[in-house]
């Protein structure tokens, strides 16, 4: 079986999670491509790691990942609509909080996102959400990442 390519929607992906991806990919000799609207330095020299600077449009990195990823690849993203598009292509998709997207949870997340957007349009703001990224979140992400990667 061909080894998967790892794609990272890197614009808003936490640095600690990006570093975890690089460490796990290096251990398994997997290719990794960061896609973003700006250079995201990853500080590791490896010929299998690359940075793709996409156009300045809001979804340029998303479009790059969708057009270049293939069934069996792995994508790390926080973008729920992007995750849905990738699942439709048979791509494995995880987020920075340790969730592996699937057909059931993506539908629920899309509904929650739509409701939040409707509430915001009406001027209703939900209670403040916790946006910190600490050791608990990184540990959950690392565990999820290892579960979707091939064995060494």
């Amino acid at each position: 079986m061909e080894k998967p390519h790892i794609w990272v929607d890197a614009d808003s992906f936490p640095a600690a999670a990006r570093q975890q991806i690089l460490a796990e990919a290096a251990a398994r000799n997997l290719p990794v491509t960061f896609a973003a609207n700006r250079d995201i330095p990853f500080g590791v020299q490896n010929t299998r790691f690359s940075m793709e600077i996409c156009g300045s449009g809001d979804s340029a990195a998303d479009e790059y990942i969708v057009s270049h990823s293939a069934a069996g690849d792995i994508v790390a993203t926080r973008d729920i609509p992007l995750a849905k598009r990738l699942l439709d292509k048979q791509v494995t998709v995880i987020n920075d909080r340790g969730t592996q997207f699937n057909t059931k949870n993506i539908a629920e997340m899309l509904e929650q996102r739509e409701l939040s957007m409707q509430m915001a349009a009406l001027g209703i703001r939900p209670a403040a959400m916790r946006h910190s990224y600490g050791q608990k979140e990184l540990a959950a992400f690392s565990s999820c990442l290892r579960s979707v990667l091939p064995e060494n």
Side-chain angles (χ1 to χ4, degrees):
M1 179 178 197
E2 189 174 322
K3 290 186 175 188
H5 190 115
I6 301 172
W7 304 89
V8 183
D9 183 10
D11 282 315
S12 67
F13 216 76
R18 293 192 314 260
Q19 291 304 313
Q20 186 66 42
I21 290 168
L22 295 173
E24 294 291 341
R28 291 167 174 79
N29 200 29
L30 298 174
V32 177
T33 300
F34 288 175
N37 299 94
R38 60 188 167 80
D39 186 33
I40 309 270
F42 41 84
V44 176
Q45 293 298 324
N46 186 317
T47 59
R48 299 190 58 85
F49 300 163
S50 63
M51 175 71 226
E52 183 65 35
I53 300 174
C54 304
S56 59
D58 286 343
S59 61
D62 298 357
E63 294 305 322
Y64 181 85
I65 292 170
V66 169
S67 66
H68 288 82
S69 61
D73 284 351
I74 299 166
V75 173
T77 184
R78 302 171 91 185
D79 186 315
I80 297 168
L82 173 59
K84 169 68 169 105
R85 292 175 67 194
L86 293 164
L87 284 175
D88 291 344
K89 286 184 66 171
Q90 318 278 281
V91 172
T92 298
V93 188
I94 61 174
N95 72 10
D96 63 324
R97 306 281 170 158
T99 299
Q100 181 177 350
F101 294 100
N102 59 50
T103 55
K104 182 178 180 192
N105 68 14
I106 197 74
E108 293 169 359
M109 289 179 192
L110 284 167
E111 287 175 14
Q112 290 172 350
R113 180 180 180 274
E114 180 63 28
L115 179 60
S116 293
M117 290 172 62
Q118 289 174 3
M119 291 173 64
L122 295 171
I124 302 168
R125 301 281 182 226
M129 296 176 61
R130 189 169 160 253
H131 291 289
S132 66
Y133 195 81
Q135 289 303 311
K136 178 181 173 185
E137 293 80 11
L138 181 59
F141 171 74
S142 296
S143 177
C144 181
L145 176 63
R146 284 191 296 276
S147 76
V148 300
L149 290 173
E151 296 296 319
N152 287 345

